[in-house]
Every structure is written in structure tokens, then in C-alpha cells.
Amino acid sequence: MTNLIILGPPGAGKGTQSKQLEKKLNVIQLSTGDMLRAEVASGSDLGQDAKGIMDVGGLVSDDLIIGMISKRVGQKECANGFILDGFPRTVPQAEALSEMLANKSLKLDYVIELTVNDEAMVERICGRYTCSKCGAGYHESFQKPAEDGVCDKCGGKDFSRRADDNAKTVRARLEAYHEQTAPISTFYAEIGILKQVDGMMSIEDVTHQLENIVS
Ligand code: AMP
């Protein structure tokens, strides 16, 4: 079993790299952002509460997020382990996670932070889009499909962008990151399990470094 956290600001490549590691380690990616977007799309009460906050780049309440994650960690789908992507995002969330894992006799194997240059993140995020059919990720400048307008993976021709991937919201998300999430790397450095990888390298090079850490 391998349990890990991928840390880093919006646009650092957490989702992209989690998907690579998910295959390599045969574990499951738990992305709180994806869970919230699914709640928003379903129109649930939780989704309606979260939407207004997500649209302006703020953070959803710790209680709501901790409740959502505690329903998933320790379930059958996590039997081989998990990759947390987008969680924890505040020190109280990190503390709640430690307690949750201790109660289930689970432990974290790695916390890996992707370090990046903030200014580059706005361009990275504002150019990204996904295939509506299979979820494959693309970027207008850095990762185009081989044939314009056709998904490499499934041939789909419909693509979508996240509602919060616009310059104004991205700046608010980066600010929330520095204020509330950055202290988490100190939290994990102090317990001796933090590793850092340069997230400005190419997708392939970052994957390679992550694989070296976990293998
Ligand atoms: P992400 O997909 O990780 O960029 O998350 C998208 C948005 O969902 C964030 O900007 C927050 O509004 C919300 N969100 C996701 N994960 C968390 C979390 N762990 N704590 C608080 N808010 C979150």
C-alpha cells in the first residue's frame, strides 16, 4: 500500500502527475476539486454551497472538505493506497487528515511538493482544457492534440474548460494558496516526509522524478 499527497499551487501539475502515478502504483487519485465539481454538476446542496466560493477562487470550509475525504479514505477503492490531490489545503485539514489516518491505522508514505513560479501558472491554467468525453487534459500552447480539435485518447471532439480557469480567479486561487496552503509544506517538513520536485520541468521529466521517489 502506498499513500501520498501531491502538494503545489493551482497549475503546478498535481492532477496531471497524479494520473500518471495512479497507473504506476495502481492506487486511486482523490481530488477534492474533482469531487466538488461533480457535486456542482449534480446540483446537490453541497455543490450549490461550494459553487459561489469556487467561482471566486476561495476555499470551501474545512468541515465540508474533511467530511468528504473521510468518506473515501479507508474504503475498498483505497485498498492499494491513494494520492491526495488538492487536499489538505489548510493546516486544520492536515491535522484532521493525521487524525483520520491514525484512527484507521494508516500512514502517509510521501508528501511531494511541486515547486513552481507563480507567474507561469496564470498562462498554464488559462490555456488548459479537457476532453468532455474521456477527461484527457490538453493545453493551447504546451500540449495540443495531434489532430486539431480531436482528442488523442478517445477521438472525442467536444472539449471543456473549468469555470474557475480565468485570470482573475486564478490570481485569487494563488493568493489563497500562499496564505492558507503554503504553511502545510512546513507542517510536513517538520515531520520529515516532505520531498520537493521542480514543477517547471516538462511533464515527462516531472513524472520521471516522481517515479524515482516512489519506486
Ligand atoms: P482544484 O481543482 O484543486 O484547483 O480545486 C478547485 C476549487 O475547489 C478550489 O479553488 C477551492 O475553491 C475548492 N477546493 C478544492 N479542494 C479544496 C480543499 N481541500 N479545501 C478547500 N477548498 C477546496
Side-chain angles (χ1 to χ4, degrees), residues 29-40 42 44-51 54 59-75 77-78 84-89 93 96-97 100 104:
Q29 172 197 18
L30 296 176
S31 154
T32 43
D34 285 349
M35 292 175 203
L36 290 169
R37 281 184 287 280
E39 294 285 347
V40 171
S42 77
S44 68
D45 289 346
L46 191 157
Q48 285 176 24
D49 287 348
K51 187 177 184 314
M54 294 167 76
L59 293 184
V60 173
S61 84
D62 287 336
D63 285 351
L64 193 155
I65 297 282
I66 292 163
M68 224 169 56
I69 280 285
S70 67
K71 283 193 200 134
R72 306 286 297 271
V73 165
Q75 297 300 306
E77 60 175 354
C78 297
L84 294 173
D85 159 10
F87 176 89
R89 243 181 170 99
Q93 290 181 19
L97 175 66
M100 206 185 295
K104 297 180 204 270

Side-chain angles (χ1 to χ4, degrees), residues 181-193:
T181 311
I184 288 180
S185 44
T186 314
F187 179 93
Y188 289 113
E190 279 170 0
I191 54 174
I193 55 168

